[in-house]
C-alpha cells in the first residue's frame, strides 16, 4: 500500500487524503472499510510529510547557497595562510 502511495504525485496524494477524511467524517463506511481508509490516510499523510520535509531541506540548502555566494569584489578572509 505505501509503495503505491509514494508513486502518487503530491497533488494526487493530497486529493486522496482529503477524500478519505471526507469519507471518514461522513460516518457512512462500515467499520472494516473505515479502518482500511484510515490506514491508507495514515500512509498518505506520512508520505506527504516526508515530501514536505525534503522540500523544506532543499529550500534551506538553496537559501544557504544563495547567502554564501560571493561576488568578485568580496574576499573570504576566514582562511588565511599560517
Amino acid at each position: 500500500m505505501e509503495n503505491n502511495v509514494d508513486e502518487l504525485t503530491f497533488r494526487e496524494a493530497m486529493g486522496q487524503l482529503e477524500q478519505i477524511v471526507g469519507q471518514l467524517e461522513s460516518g457512512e463506511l462500515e467499520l472494516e472499510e473505515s479502518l482500511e481508509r484510515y490506514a491508507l490516510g495514515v500512509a498518505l499523510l506520512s508520505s506527504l510529510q516526508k515530501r514536505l520535509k525534503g522540500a523544506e531541506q532543499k529550500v534551506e540548502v538553496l537559501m544557504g547557497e544563495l547567502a554564501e555566494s560571493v561576488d568578485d569584489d568580496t574576499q573570504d578572509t576566514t582562511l588565511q595562510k599560517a
Side-chain angles (χ1 to χ4, degrees):
M1 174 176 19
E2 195 164 328
N3 290 340
N4 295 337
V5 167
D6 290 335
E7 293 174 5
L8 298 172
T9 66
F10 187 87
R11 187 181 307 260
E12 290 169 338
M14 191 68 176
Q16 280 193 13
L17 182 59
E18 290 173 352
Q19 183 180 27
I20 289 170
V21 168
Q23 291 171 340
L24 291 172
E25 288 178 342
S26 75
E28 296 178 5
L29 300 175
E30 294 295 327
L31 176 62
E32 297 80 12
E33 191 174 3
S34 291
L35 290 172
E36 288 176 12
R37 303 303 293 168
Y38 184 82
L40 178 55
V42 168
L44 286 164
L45 183 58
S46 175
S47 176
L48 290 167
Q49 287 175 332
K50 286 179 200 172
R51 295 180 202 194
L52 284 174
K53 185 65 175 173
E56 181 181 346
Q57 289 173 345
K58 286 180 184 177
V59 168
E60 288 176 4
V61 166
L62 292 171
M63 292 303 291
E65 289 176 1
L66 181 62
E68 292 175 3
S69 66
V70 292
D71 58 39
D72 292 335
D73 296 331
T74 305
Q75 181 179 359
D76 184 2
T77 59
T78 59
L79 298 175
Q80 297 179 2
K81 292 184 180 179

